[in-house]
Amino acid sequence: MRCLIIEDELLERRALEKLFQIYFPSKFEIVTSTMNGSTALKMLSQSDYDLVVLDINLPDMEGTDILAYIDKNSPQTKVIMATAYSDYEHIRTSMRNNAFDYLLKPYSIETFKEAINAFIASVEEESFGSANTVVKIKKYIEENYMKDIGLEDISSAVGFDKSYIGRVFKKSEGKTIMNHLLEVRVEKANYYMKKGMSVSEVTYKVGFNDPAYFSKCYKKVTGNSPSTKCR
């Protein structure tokens, strides 16, 4: 996983990097850091991070503003707030913008380890859930490719909203759900054409309503027209 530390105090920044190296060397591929909010926002816009450890009190902006940016633009990134403040307003603002957890300075090594272990556990649980969702999506498509189905139908079938299933499927498979559906339909079309079916027959057999549109989609995937396959 990838972690970004946003902390203006040099010693604390270096200490956090060291703690990750000592206690979680196998869990984090990259741990990088910065001391100010403007650089952090640039880094966040250019790279994806699984975890951000974020100090509330930065020299150029409020940490809660960065948290709000992450919540809006990278909601899959979890944030642990690190702060010397213990007042209710800062904690409430952090929780409102979906902070995963917060550490009150000065915190102990054990407290730090507990927060990171909780984050790792949540990621592993979500990964299992995501993998299960991808399996359900593929199963639904395999059983219903011959019907006029769309993202809304798949979303209802697996029990999650369209944006979520689209995100987890793309992350897992490297392609969109609808592209996968198209590939399945083309694979099935090849099977039926080998059995001797005409392009027109195959069109309706694999979930299309228009032979011309089917031919266009088939060529997009294979580079050839289905009529060539039928010869």
Side-chain angles (χ1 to χ4, degrees):
M1 293 182 286
R2 295 167 58 91
C3 175
L4 173 62
I5 298 167
I6 309 172
E7 168 62 64
D8 64 323
E9 294 290 338
L10 177 60
L11 292 179
E12 291 208 31
R13 200 162 65 248
R14 294 291 179 256
L16 281 169
E17 291 174 355
K18 195 69 175 177
L19 287 173
F20 276 102
Q21 292 171 11
I22 293 172
Y23 295 106
F24 303 100
S26 63
K27 294 294 185 180
F28 291 89
E29 176 189 11
I30 296 176
V31 177
T32 187
S33 65
T34 184
M35 65 174 290
N36 59 63
S38 57
T39 303
L41 290 176
K42 185 177 180 179
M43 294 171 74
L44 287 163
S45 69
Q46 294 175 343
S47 301
D48 293 325
Y49 294 93
D50 300 285
L51 174 66
V52 173
V53 180
L54 172 60
D55 186 17
I56 284 182
N57 189 22
L58 296 170
D60 57 342
M61 67 177 64
E62 286 285 327
T64 49
D65 292 333
I66 298 175
L67 176 62
Y69 171 88
I70 294 171
D71 185 43
K72 179 180 179 181
N73 296 282
S74 186
Q76 74 278 4
T77 301
K78 289 184 168 58
V79 181
I80 296 177
M81 304 298 291
T83 176
Y85 299 116
S86 59
D87 64 279
Y88 175 71
E89 188 57 38
H90 278 92
I91 294 173
R92 186 177 69 169
T93 301
S94 298
M95 294 301 106
R96 187 189 306 131
N97 287 312
N98 295 322
F100 175 75
D101 202 352
Y102 63 92
L103 295 167
L104 293 178
K105 298 179 182 179
Y107 47 84
S108 66
I109 292 176
E110 287 306 313
T111 300
F112 166 79
K113 288 167 62 179
E114 285 176 7
I116 303 304
N117 278 322
F119 158 75
I120 292 170
S122 73
V123 169
E124 290 174 348
E125 183 178 348
E126 286 178 6
S127 295
F128 175 79
S130 297
N132 192 39
T133 298
V134 170
V135 170
K136 288 181 179 179
I137 292 169
K138 287 184 172 181
K139 186 173 186 293
Y140 179 82
I141 287 174
E142 185 67 26
E143 293 175 350
N144 296 276
Y145 69 87
M146 72 294 295
K147 302 175 184 176
D148 184 17
I149 60 172
L151 204 54
E152 195 72 52
D153 303 293
I154 299 169
S155 171
S156 297
V158 300
F160 292 104
D161 65 57
K162 292 186 292 184
S163 61
Y164 173 76
I165 65 170
R167 186 168 66 250
V168 299
F169 194 90
K170 181 71 178 292
K171 184 175 181 179
S172 170
E173 304 300 304
K175 58 187 173 183
T176 67
I177 292 173
M178 299 312 291
N179 278 341
H180 177 71
L181 172 60
L182 179 57
E183 289 174 3
V184 169
R185 284 172 165 168
V186 167
E187 180 186 347
K188 301 298 182 182
N190 285 334
Y191 170 80
Y192 290 123
M193 285 188 286
K194 286 179 180 178
K195 293 288 186 181
M197 285 189 179
S198 68
V199 172
S200 180
E201 290 174 317
V202 168
T203 294
Y204 302 102
K205 190 78 171 175
V206 298
F208 286 89
N209 296 316
D210 177 26
Y213 182 62
F214 163 69
S215 296
K216 181 180 178 180
C217 291
Y218 185 95
K219 189 171 185 178
K220 179 182 177 182
V221 173
T222 67
N224 299 307
S225 67
S227 57
T228 304
K229 192 75 177 178
C230 286
R231 293 176 192 148

